[in-house]
Amino acid sequence: MESSPNLALSQLPSVYSAIPSSKYRNYPFWPGNKRRSSPSTRIQCNKMFVPGFGEASPEAKAANNLHNFFTYTAVKIVAAQLESYNPEAYEELMDFVGRHPLDDGDKFCATMFRESSRHKNLALRIMEVRSAYCKNDFEWDNLKRLAFKKVTESNTRLMRDYISETSPTETEK
């Protein structure tokens, strides 16, 4: 098996040098498009720049989704607890969940606070469970491991499927 030589990024030929930068003036993220009129205010780091997340980083968006997911999880936990020892409160919670979406956890709890005093107690319990689950029970390391595994397996499967679709089979030869 041949080994490929390792080249530093600076040793590779520029792919974009033949393209006039004026053609891509409207694309500030285009590699060949450098603005020379003012010094760069962008912080130099070794992380990947992700365009299109102006108001928040991808991590902030993921944290927001996790926050809403923790509310959903807390509702499931509280519902399971109530089902066994307080069927009346369980029915009230399930009725409320049926009438209000759980896609925004804070909006869900705020609406529940204003429903009635009984619902206010349920909202407080949900927020308490949400916080405790996030701090104590959610397995953050497992999340990272599973996310990495899923991306790796998905990329491998997609590449394998593409190659099998585009490569001639033995019967076609």
Side-chain angles (χ1 to χ4, degrees):
M1 177 184 279
E2 289 183 34
S3 63
S4 61
N6 293 330
L7 296 174
L9 192 57
S10 62
Q11 294 173 320
L12 296 175
S14 175
V15 177
Y16 304 105
S17 60
I19 302 170
S21 62
S22 61
K23 183 177 178 183
Y24 296 100
R25 187 170 298 151
N26 294 331
Y27 303 102
F29 56 88
W30 190 262
N33 190 9
K34 296 178 184 168
R35 298 180 186 213
R36 292 175 176 82
S37 61
S38 64
S40 176
T41 57
R42 195 163 137 199
I43 299 172
Q44 297 296 324
C45 65
N46 294 330
K47 299 278 185 168
M48 191 180 299
F49 171 71
V50 184
F53 285 91
E55 74 282 355
S57 67
E59 292 83 2
K61 296 249 182 188
N64 189 43
N65 288 332
L66 274 174
H67 174 73
N68 291 325
F69 181 71
F70 290 148
T71 304
Y72 170 80
T73 303
V75 167
K76 297 293 258 180
I77 292 168
V78 170
Q81 292 169 346
L82 292 174
E83 188 174 24
S84 63
Y85 75 87
N86 191 343
E88 186 179 321
Y90 170 79
E91 288 299 322
E92 285 181 3
L93 177 60
M94 297 317 297
D95 180 55
F96 187 85
V97 168
R99 291 183 287 120
H100 298 89
L102 257 166
D103 55 347
D104 183 340
D106 288 346
K107 184 177 178 184
F108 178 83
C109 289
T111 306
M112 186 174 257
F113 265 123
R114 288 160 181 81
E115 186 84 7
S116 72
S117 62
R118 289 177 59 108
H119 285 87
K120 181 179 98 173
N121 290 335
L122 287 172
L124 288 170
R125 179 69 183 142
I126 289 168
M127 291 185 332
E128 179 184 358
V129 169
R130 173 175 74 177
S131 180
Y133 181 77
C134 175
K135 288 178 186 173
N136 303 323
D137 292 356
F138 190 76
E139 297 180 16
W140 294 97
D141 294 335
N142 197 28
L143 168 69
K144 183 177 179 179
R145 183 186 60 78
L146 290 172
F148 183 77
K149 180 181 176 186
K150 183 160 182 72
V151 167
T152 303
E153 288 175 353
S154 177
N155 286 349
T156 303
R157 179 183 45 78
L158 290 169
M159 288 186 286
R160 186 181 303 123
D161 291 349
Y162 176 75
I163 289 172
S164 67
E165 289 173 9
T166 58
S167 299
T169 60
E170 290 182 24
T171 58
E172 293 175 0
K173 291 182 182 178

